[in-house]
Amino acid sequence: MTERVHPDIEKVLISEDEIRAKITELAAAITGDYGDDGVLLVGVLKGAFVFMADLARSLSIPIDFDFMAVSSYGTATKSSGVVRILKDLDYEVTGRHVLLVEDIVDSGLTISYLLRYLKARRPASLEICSLLWKQGQQAVPFEVKYAGFVIPSVFVVGYGLDFAERYRNLPYIGVLRPEAYGGESPR
Ligand code: IMP
């Protein structure tokens, strides 16, 4: 498919077609693992909403949806080290199979906080599905069972990911031109 690339994007790192193919692969693995038991998808807002919508529509097993909103980054894009819960789960997760859906695992601060938080509520199982994984950037390594793409440590936008709340609606994952963030790279 020909994509009209946004003028602020220096390079498309992962195309729309590549994302679609990867989601089909991830969905097949998730469908095979959970089967008729189904799974509760817990999306981490805001970034995961685009990925979760496409992933969910590729799954043919019973699923429920819930969302959490946390803040670990403001518009400043540097990890503050502090994860604050802005929106908690609507449902009880005790005894349920839970799959945390993330857009990107970078320092891993956000996801490791959420893992601890959710584990304390004793789910039947708890796994991570992240579209992007900056592998090796995590202070404490942990398993991302369903990982889409391992990417280098560059700041990316699109497909739910933002810079200062912009670019979330781009259908691909791209690297911003330095002019778009005013010189120094956010990561
Ligand atoms: P972590 O806590 O450092 O793993 O970061 C997780 C959150 O930081 C993600 O859910 C994103 O919202 C944001 N983030 C990390 N890297 C990027 C990036 O390259 N582009 C946009 N947002 C990012």
Side-chain angles (χ1 to χ4, degrees):
M1 190 190 294
T2 0
E3 288 163 348
R4 250 186 54 235
V5 177
H6 191 289
D8 290 352
I9 298 297
E10 186 170 77
K11 168 172 142 194
V12 173
L13 199 65
I14 307 166
S15 72
E16 217 176 326
D17 287 349
E18 288 170 315
I19 295 173
R20 196 174 304 117
K22 185 61 78 178
I23 288 179
T24 304
E25 240 178 68
L26 290 171
I30 294 167
T31 299
D33 289 350
Y34 293 95
D36 292 340
D37 288 348
V39 66
L40 172 66
L41 298 181
V42 174
V44 185
L45 296 173
K46 298 174 194 168
F49 80 104
V50 178
F51 174 45
M52 182 143 146
D54 284 345
L55 179 70
R57 284 177 292 176
S58 301
L59 291 171
S60 48
I61 52 172
I63 50 173
D64 289 328
F65 295 86
D66 209 339
F67 292 95
M68 289 189 74
V70 294
S71 75
S72 55
Y73 285 77
T75 51
T77 70
K78 287 278 180 203
S79 171
S80 58
V82 178
V83 177
R84 207 155 51 93
I85 294 183
L86 306 176
K87 186 217 165 288
D88 206 340
L89 293 170
D90 291 335
Y91 300 119
E92 197 46 65
V93 297
T94 309
R96 304 202 60 182
H97 294 291
V98 176
L99 183 58
L100 254 179
V101 181
E102 256 286 29
D103 49 357
I104 186 164
V105 175
D106 181 5
S107 71
L109 265 170
T110 311
I111 209 84
S112 40
Y113 177 86
L114 289 174
L115 284 174
R116 281 199 307 278
Y117 184 84
L118 292 173
K119 258 184 203 150
R121 277 152 190 74
R122 298 190 310 282
S125 69
L126 178 60
E127 300 293 351
I128 301 167
C129 177
S130 184
L131 179 67
L132 306 174
W133 185 12
K134 293 183 187 170
Q135 201 176 14
Q137 295 304 305
Q138 297 77 48
V140 183
F142 51 85
E143 196 200 358
V144 178
K145 184 163 185 188
Y146 307 100
F149 301 92
V150 172
I151 62 163
S153 187
V154 288
F155 192 81
V156 290
V157 294
Y159 203 73
L161 290 145
D162 73 309
F163 172 68
E165 294 300 328
R166 293 190 62 201
Y167 312 107
R168 290 193 198 274
N169 59 324
L170 298 180
Y172 47 81
I173 305 281
V175 181
L176 272 183
R177 287 186 195 286
E179 307 89 89
Y181 48 73
E184 200 194 327
S185 168
R187 300 301 295 156

